[in-house]
Amino acid sequence: MRRSVVRFGGAATPTGRATGGTGPVLSRERFLEGGPVDAGVRAPISHSWQRCRSLGLSPDRSDLPFREDFDTEARIVRAAVPVLDRLQYTFAGTPMNICVADASGTVLLRRFGEASMAGSLPAIQRLPGFVFAERFAGTNGIGLALAERQLIRVYGAEHFAERAQQSACRALPVRDPLSGRIEGVLCLGYPRSLDDPALATVIRKAARAIERRLLGHSSARERALLRAYLETEAEAAVGRHHTVGLDELALGQRPDDRALLLEKATELLSCAQRAAVHVRLSDGRRVTLLSRPMTSADGVEGLAVEAVLPGPAPRHPLITPRQIDALPAFPDEPAEPAAADRAVRVVLPSGAAALAAPARVATDGEAGGSGLGVPRVPAEDVTAPSPRGLLLVGEPEVARHALAARRRLELLSEASTRIGTTLDVRRTARELAETAVPRLADHVTIDLPEAVLRGEESADPHGDLRRTVVHGIRDDCPFHPVGKQVDYGPTTPQLRCLLGGEAVLEPDLRVAAGWLAHDPEHTAELLTHVHSLIAVPLVARGVVLGVAAFYRGRDPTPFGDDDRSLAQELAARAALSIDNARRYTRERSMVLALQRSLLPHGLPDQDAVDVAHRYLPAESDVGGDWYDVIPLSGTRVGLMVGDVVGHGMLSAATMGRLRTAARSFAELDFPPDEVLTHLDNLVGRLDREDPAADATDIVGATCLYAVYDPTTQRCTMARAGHPPPALVRPDGTVSFPELPAGPPLGLGGLPFEAVEIDLPEGSQLVLYTDGLIEDRDRDVDRVLDRLREALAVPEREPEETCQVVLNSVAPAHPRDDIALLVARTRALAPDRIATWDLRPDPALVGEVRARALRQLADWGLDEAAFAAELMLSELVTNAIRHGSGPVRVRLLHDRTLICEVSDASNTAPHLRRAASTDEGGRGLFLVAQLARSWGTRYLPEGKVIWAECGLDGV
């Protein structure tokens, strides 16, 4: 097998048969037969084949467009000729075809390793002028390098055209170092048997050499302008000695003054016309900047910007520079130029300097305007006899690039503060669009999967996209509306960027085959509004979040590679913020799901109050608010609201523990103040039992607990650092009862006090958490007044009351959770209550049984008479035998039949299982067997033993 060694830049590079396989021959055949592209085909080749299909290209086509009017003196030609000559020498004796094409794909230069190739090859492979753009030639090195804007390798069957199946090539775009624009393409073509990975290094070095020559040409033009300025000033200085150096003007200036002068001078230079502006320095002085056109001896046109200070001119002539740098040579292996060295800096003895601005920038569509933040004044109005000095000299196009670069840096700086201000996925995506319009793009659309909007990772981020944001300078652009599901074809820039993970640039949508073919009717309508596109994937931490599309329409300048880099940087920053918002949304959803699962799922059956409730989570963090309705003995009901300090999962879990404990304490029939005391002890124990808790993780809570008794129409309430309830009387009078505030739960050692108030039937008790009334932007007293007005409507249903309160009192964007509980009181009718007071005499037990049977007959509860008679007999006997003082018997006919026996003793009854030999001890056991439930509650003096008998069969 024949092998050879070529040399480039002094390094030996072997060539020979490629070792990476034989190319996707079978894949190409299946594709041409109408099948899909195999997964093994490289993404750039796959995309190109699909675009060729959408263009209707034939692989058998052998003709290409030919241009006779191509520019043989183009900048890329003048810069590339010496480099191609060197490449021809390097590849001498090999079948290497070396060419340079312009940015449209037209071949401008050709060189051959073997001279005989010039006569043996077809015309399209040996003559300049043929156009190898992808839309004409199909998949090839030059066309694909322009489409993908990166180094491209096309091997054998990866070519779309049949004529190129035995060839291979590598192609790389060549860019203008100043503007970043693609000036042309350098391509190496060769038989596929000579493909070698080392050729990638060769073509990169050659392309960099061409780019350095392009930069050198620009630097030489600026030096010529500086030379012309100095010669002009030297002649004009005779008889008027008033020109000084920049350092003399800057004497005593602060660094920010100097930066301001250079910034305004660059803006003035970009105007490309004679003009003047006033700039005020930090010390109050006003400097006038003058720009005037000038032309060098060899015809280079540009401008010079001078700074003029008011006052007398110094008495010395202009001193010409000691030295002006010559055009630098380009060695085989030169050092990479620094980013800021895009023009030669020429220092005068007096300190004047030529323009030195950043590299790799492009126009932003506004370079023709002044963009100045100071008033423009005519140059004729500036008096001549004042001290002045040269600030900048150069071409307007270079200044426009410098301004565009600075504006891009400003946009990135602004993006760091504008994007990600909230933890809302949709809002963050919109902030990206608002930041980019109009300074980068005229329109921005953002598509996110539905799963990402819910806070999850999308299982199909390429196919489950929904339009999330549409933002632009106009509202009538025919983009898909927000909420619509969007499906992108395999050759569209959006899907290509998602699959490749890199931004995709389509400078001219009129020739973007994949974009046009996806939806011809819709894209044709869009083309009347936009002409250039950048599609950028939104990827953060390895998660694909969606795609952003930047469109330009009003600005006639198409997007360039610098715009693509800027869009990708903006999208990367936004993607990180979107991912943070997504993760927060997921966590918030989990916390909210936990919170809702720990709240009551329904209302218990009871007739003491009509109840309605609401829970409204905060917009940002979910807290630990809760409410509860607890049926109690004696037809009473417990109403509770509470608020755990803090937000997040810990607060929600703590809320669940406190609510469970509070319900348990309430069901033990403890009075409200004792329930709060037990909760206070529990919260303190939770803090002590958590060894990892620090000062910021202290558990704390507030709580309000009320017990309403429909038999007496009285309510007992106590609170622990919680807002007082609102009380709405039947006549519509609203008040906030004066309850002792009590300390928040968890402080320990401080007592809680209970207050008893009358609640006539039809009254409403409104319990709420502090999120309803407390907000940093609202006064609490005014909010309470608004709450009073909202509640001052009698005979309103609790559900309606809840809705009115949330609509009129709750903040529009709550920063804290809101729990709301509205209870309208009922009263148990007197004819459903039977009460008897007894002396502690066992002989009266039979009388009690007789009275009870008569009362049950009056109520129509004969079927419950046997169980009720037996339970009353046992309870009254125990009260007389083991209690003290007067005994009271009460029967309550509600949903169930409740038998109560009270006495003045605090001794607690104890249920036990009597042995077969015991003579007693079976009374409470029988009660527990006959009753649905039973228990004891304590009074300030004495106790009540109660038993509840079901009426299901009655």
Side-chain angles (χ1 to χ4, degrees):
M1 180 180 68
R2 177 176 180 264
R3 292 185 61 85
S4 62
V5 174
V6 299
R7 295 182 180 275
F8 184 84
T13 302
T15 65
R17 183 177 298 276
T19 58
T22 60
V25 178
L26 296 179
S27 298
R28 180 177 179 274
E29 291 178 356
R30 283 193 290 267
F31 174 76
L32 293 178
E33 291 173 357
V37 181
D38 291 350
V41 179
R42 292 183 293 127
I45 303 299
S46 169
H47 297 156
S48 180
W49 285 0
Q50 291 168 336
R51 290 194 296 269
C52 292
R53 172 185 284 173
S54 65
L55 288 167
L57 297 179
S58 170
D60 299 326
R61 178 177 178 178
S62 59
D63 61 322
L64 293 177
F66 180 77
R67 292 179 50 193
E68 296 182 355
D69 59 343
F70 65 90
D71 188 1
T72 58
E73 296 296 326
R75 295 179 65 232
I76 186 67
V77 171
R78 291 184 284 113
V81 165
V83 179
L84 261 65
D85 290 342
R86 179 64 182 269
L87 286 173
Q88 183 178 26
Y89 169 77
T90 302
F91 289 108
T94 65
M96 184 67 69
N97 190 336
I98 310 158
C99 66
V100 168
D102 63 15
S104 67
T106 303
V107 175
L108 305 179
L109 292 171
R110 283 198 180 273
R111 297 288 189 275
F112 304 98
E114 292 181 355
S116 60
M117 294 178 60
S120 61
L121 294 176
I124 62 173
Q125 295 183 11
R126 60 183 173 83
L127 295 179
F130 284 97
V131 182
F132 282 82
E134 188 182 67
R135 64 181 184 275
F136 301 121
T139 306
N140 70 94
I142 294 174
L144 193 51
L146 289 173
E148 297 290 330
R149 309 177 78 84
Q150 60 181 336
L151 177 62
I152 288 297
R153 169 182 174 266
V154 184
Y155 181 89
E158 291 180 335
H159 288 88
F160 189 75
E162 292 287 353
R163 65 174 183 273
Q165 298 300 293
Q166 302 302 315
S167 302
C169 65
R170 294 181 187 264
L172 179 65
V174 177
R175 305 175 187 274
D176 184 339
L178 291 180
S179 66
R181 292 193 302 261
I182 293 178
E183 292 288 329
V185 177
L186 174 63
C187 182
L188 302 179
Y190 42 87
R192 68 183 189 184
S193 60
L194 296 183
D195 188 46
D196 194 286
L199 290 175
T201 303
V202 173
I203 197 170
R204 283 195 180 97
K205 290 181 178 180
R208 283 201 297 268
I210 298 174
E211 290 173 350
R212 286 194 296 272
R213 290 184 57 81
L214 289 171
L215 178 62
H217 292 168
S218 299
S219 300
R221 294 166 65 89
E222 290 188 350
R223 281 194 296 273
L225 288 173
L226 177 62
R227 186 181 298 110
Y229 171 83
L230 295 175
E231 292 172 352
T232 302
E233 284 299 300
E235 296 175 359
V238 178
R240 58 172 186 86
H241 308 293
H242 62 269
T243 302
V244 299
L246 179 61
D247 287 343
E248 296 181 40
L249 284 175
L251 202 58
Q253 290 180 10
R254 299 177 180 179
D256 53 349
D257 286 339
R258 185 184 186 93
L260 178 62
L261 285 175
L262 290 176
E263 176 185 334
K264 295 302 180 183
T266 305
E267 293 178 351
L268 196 59
L269 185 64
S270 68
C271 297
Q273 59 186 348
R274 184 185 296 272
V277 295
H278 294 313
V279 181
R280 188 171 297 278
L281 305 181
S282 58
D283 59 3
R285 290 186 299 168
R286 189 176 69 170
V287 176
T288 301
L289 301 184
L290 297 173
S291 66
R292 55 189 177 91
M294 54 186 307
T295 304
S296 68
D298 52 357
V300 177
E301 296 182 353
L303 291 96
V305 179
E306 298 171 315
V308 180
L309 276 175
R315 297 297 180 180
H316 58 77
L318 171 71
I319 304 176
T320 56
R322 293 188 298 266
Q323 178 184 357
I324 296 179
D325 299 340
L327 182 67
F330 291 91
D332 290 337
E333 297 294 337
E336 284 291 326
D341 296 337
R342 76 169 191 183
V344 179
R345 184 175 180 85
V346 182
V347 181
L348 306 180
S350 59
L355 175 64
R360 299 293 307 275
V361 294
T363 59
D364 62 355
E366 297 178 356
S370 67
L372 302 176
V374 293
R376 294 278 301 276
V377 297
E380 295 79 4
D381 293 346
V382 181
T383 56
S386 299
R388 61 190 179 91
L390 176 65
L391 281 181
L392 298 177
V393 62
E395 297 177 276
E397 186 70 15
V398 176
R400 295 187 189 115
H401 298 330
L403 288 177
R406 178 168 58 81
R407 288 167 182 161
R408 288 185 176 89
L409 291 175
E410 292 172 351
L411 182 58
L412 287 176
S413 176
E414 180 182 337
S416 63
T417 59
R418 290 190 61 181
I419 301 176
T421 59
T422 67
L423 288 173
D424 181 84
V425 173
R426 289 181 173 84
R427 179 59 199 163
T428 303
R430 186 163 187 84
E431 287 170 347
L432 167 61
E434 291 173 348
T435 301
V437 176
R439 297 169 64 178
L440 172 63
D442 296 328
H443 299 275
V444 175
T445 64
I446 299 177
D447 306 318
L448 302 177
E450 186 68 29
V452 172
L453 297 174
R454 296 194 305 266
E456 305 166 4
E457 292 187 15
S458 176
D460 183 19
H462 305 150
D464 182 29
L465 292 171
R466 291 193 176 275
R467 181 57 46 85
T468 306
V469 174
V470 177
H471 182 66
I473 57 176
R474 297 173 55 183
D475 296 331
D476 59 347
C477 208
F479 293 107
H480 291 306
V482 172
K484 178 180 175 61
Q485 184 171 358
V486 290
D487 298 316
Y488 292 113
T491 60
T492 56
Q494 288 87 345
L495 192 59
R496 286 163 52 199
C497 80
L498 284 173
L499 295 174
E502 297 290 336
V504 173
L505 169 62
E506 291 288 358
D508 189 352
L509 289 175
R510 293 170 298 179
V511 296
W515 184 79
L516 291 170
H518 170 59
D519 188 353
E521 182 177 350
H522 184 236
T523 53
E525 188 177 4
L526 273 178
L527 278 177
T528 62
H529 297 81
V530 297
H531 60 76
S532 192
L533 165 67
I534 302 174
V536 189
L538 298 172
V539 182
R541 302 183 181 99
V543 178
V544 179
L545 303 172
V547 60
F550 300 82
Y551 294 88
R552 186 169 283 178
R554 179 186 62 176
D555 187 345
T557 306
F559 285 124
D561 286 284
D562 285 326
D563 298 309
R564 178 176 63 173
S565 299
L566 177 59
Q568 186 150 347
E569 178 65 23
L570 288 175
R573 298 189 182 194
L576 192 60
S577 297
I578 291 174
D579 190 50
N580 290 338
R582 179 191 67 84
R583 290 167 179 255
Y584 167 76
T585 301
R586 179 182 60 184
E587 180 178 346
R588 184 179 185 274
S589 299
M590 293 171 57
V591 174
L592 187 57
L594 174 63
Q595 173 88 351
R596 293 191 183 280
S597 69
L598 296 175
L599 290 173
H601 291 177
L603 295 177
D605 294 332
Q606 50 82 34
D607 291 326
V609 291
D610 296 323
V611 180
H613 54 82
R614 294 288 189 277
Y615 171 72
L616 184 64
E619 281 195 348
S620 56
D621 296 324
V622 178
D625 292 17
W626 88 90
Y627 59 87
D628 211 344
V629 179
I630 310 167
L632 301 175
S633 64
T635 69
R636 297 171 307 138
V637 66
L639 306 171
M640 181 179 293
V641 291
D643 183 3
V644 175
V645 174
H647 301 86
M649 190 72 71
L650 177 61
S651 296
T654 302
M655 178 275 290
R657 299 171 72 177
L658 291 184
R659 175 178 173 258
T660 301
R663 189 179 186 90
S664 300
F665 295 145
E667 289 176 344
L668 289 174
D669 273 326
F670 291 142
D673 53 337
E674 290 190 28
V675 170
L676 296 182
T677 300
H678 288 294
L679 285 177
D680 182 57
N681 295 333
L682 173 62
V683 172
R685 188 165 61 252
L686 292 177
D687 272 334
R688 293 191 298 272
E689 290 176 352
D690 187 0
D694 55 25
T696 61
D697 295 328
I698 294 177
V699 177
T702 65
C703 185
L704 170 64
Y705 181 43
V707 175
Y708 172 68
D709 188 346
T711 64
T712 62
Q713 300 180 39
R714 295 185 66 82
C715 182
T716 305
M717 293 181 283
R719 62 185 179 124
H722 201 84
L727 175 59
V728 185
R729 299 286 179 177
D731 61 357
T733 303
V734 181
S735 63
F736 297 93
E738 293 291 336
L739 301 182
L745 301 176
L747 295 184
L750 298 175
F752 300 97
E753 298 182 37
V755 173
E756 191 175 81
I757 60 175
D758 291 324
L759 284 185
E761 185 176 11
S763 301
Q764 285 195 359
L765 192 63
V766 181
L767 286 67
Y768 51 87
T769 55
D770 57 3
L772 177 68
I773 61 173
E774 294 182 5
D775 188 83
R776 69 183 65 174
D777 300 326
R778 304 193 302 172
D779 181 74
V780 174
D781 292 334
R782 292 185 177 179
V783 176
L784 290 176
D785 290 339
R786 188 182 304 172
L787 177 60
R788 189 190 306 272
E789 294 175 0
L791 294 175
V793 178
E795 300 181 0
R796 179 186 281 161
E797 293 294 328
E799 284 288 345
E800 185 181 356
T801 300
C802 279
Q803 199 59 46
V804 169
V805 169
L806 289 183
N807 291 341
S808 60
V809 182
H813 303 282
R815 296 185 175 93
D816 195 6
D817 291 18
I818 298 174
L820 178 63
L821 186 65
V822 177
R824 185 174 62 183
T825 62
R826 293 182 177 182
L828 188 62
D831 60 357
R832 287 177 170 258
I833 305 173
T835 306
W836 305 288
D837 292 324
L838 306 174
R839 299 189 313 276
D841 183 357
L844 298 177
V845 174
E847 182 181 344
V848 170
R849 289 199 299 265
R851 290 182 180 180
L853 290 176
R854 288 194 297 270
Q855 184 63 62
L856 293 178
D858 292 342
W859 286 342
L861 303 179
D862 294 327
E863 295 186 13
F866 173 77
E869 180 185 11
L870 186 56
M871 287 190 297
L872 276 176
S873 178
E874 293 296 334
L875 293 178
V876 172
T877 301
N878 282 342
I880 293 174
R881 179 177 299 177
H882 303 290
S884 62
V887 176
R888 169 169 288 188
V889 177
R890 189 170 71 159
L891 296 181
L892 303 176
H893 180 198
D894 193 38
R895 293 174 179 266
T896 60
L897 176 63
I898 302 172
C899 305
E900 296 182 346
V901 177
S902 62
D903 65 83
S905 171
N906 288 325
T907 57
H910 178 63
L911 176 66
R912 68 184 181 89
R913 294 182 180 274
S916 59
T917 57
D918 292 340
E919 294 184 0
R922 297 178 178 84
L924 286 180
F925 179 77
L926 289 175
V927 171
Q929 294 297 313
L930 293 171
R932 173 183 293 180
S933 60
W934 73 280
T936 304
R937 70 175 181 270
Y938 291 91
L939 305 174
E941 295 181 359
K943 67 178 182 296
V944 176
I945 303 176
W946 57 271
E948 184 176 315
C949 181
L951 302 178
D952 296 337
V954 177

